[in-house]
Amino acid sequence: MPTQPILDLHTHSNRSDGLDTPAYLMTRAKQLGLDLISLADHDTTDGWKEGLDTAVELELGFVPAIEISTHSEVQSEQGSRRISVHILAYRPDQNHPGLVAELSKTRESRVSRAKRMVELISKDYPINWQEITENIRPGSTVGRPAIADALVRAGVVKDRSAAFESILHKSSPYYISEHSLNTLEAIQLALDAGAAPVIAHPLIDFPAGKSLSDLPDAHFREMVDAGLMGLEVDHRQVPENARSWLRDFAKRHDLFITGSSDYHGIGGKVNELGENSTTVENFRRLIAQSSGSDYYLPPALDWL
Ligand code: AMP
Ligand code: FE
Ligand code: FE
Ligand code: ZN
């Protein structure tokens, strides 16, 4: 077997909140020596064609995916709490009617939610919706990063991260959550569309000092019962103290694990292409368990 290839299974383009076009993203990945990219824009498949065409031209591996915004209710000692869960769906059928309808509903609601946030913020800071729409690609999935970029242009904050730590933070008075599918329904929908559902950056909000016994084991088991197939353990925002628990959980429930960058472009997020990779064994499982759309392997990866 050739040396371990770099398989980066989670990246974003300007079809959602990334900064690179799908074509430029593939070009950069090739230049950096990566072997395979999965394009997983938020709630859209719009960048797949351009990504795949460029990947084929460059002989870079390509797996189509989406990152679906979902929410769950989890029980804790403080009672029931709504959390946001991102589900990566690998190789869904992009024409599946139920999936098409749900994604378009989520994208539309993201627009009205972003508009409402901008209205609130504009009472205190010099940004406006018109200027934001002029600066994003028409039709792209809108998220808080688009508002962050406006705050940077207005000189209110120095970069996206500073905006997320203050005005756009979940605890900020300007924060509004978007409509999204229930997590279990999203897993079911991904399966119906022939995709392999994986939790993106699990436990991203798990506090560093918290005991592992507080981990939401029951919530994870519910997702497995619904058909969850994998966990994205190797991701820079997955807390170190939770990783061994996640690996152990994956083993017990026969889930595969992935590693990815969640790259959003230079300046989009610090995450750099190829900073994490998925192992060959886990990649093979992901491919064997999904069938809704085609993927591409260049001749150099035909052994994979
Ligand atoms: P939203 O989906 O609109 O709630 O916005 C969340 C998105 O913002 C995530 O999917 C990330 O891609 C992005 N994001 C979160 N935190 C940061 C950060 N500190 N810097 C840049 N982008 C971020
Ligand atoms: Fe994002
Ligand atoms: Fe995410
Ligand atoms: Zn992402």
Side-chain angles (χ1 to χ4, degrees), residues 15 33 38 51 58 61 95 112 132 153 166 191 211 223 229 236 241 243 273 277-278 289 292 301 303:
R15 274 16 180 222
S38 182
L58 299 171
N95 298 315
S112 46
I132 290 176
R153 286 192 297 273
S166 56
L191 294 173
S211 151
M223 292 190 280
M229 293 179 186
R236 71 157 65 214
N241 61 338
R243 290 194 194 190
L273 272 175
S277 175
T278 300
Q289 293 179 57
L301 289 182
W303 56 273

Side-chain angles (χ1 to χ4, degrees), residues 10-12 17 40 42 67 86 88 200-201 235 262-264 269:
H10 180 171
T11 65
H12 295 265
D17 57 357
H42 296 283
E67 184 170 8
H86 285 175
L88 289 160
H201 41 68
H235 178 293
D262 202 357
Y263 172 76
H264 280 68
K269 249 183 170 180

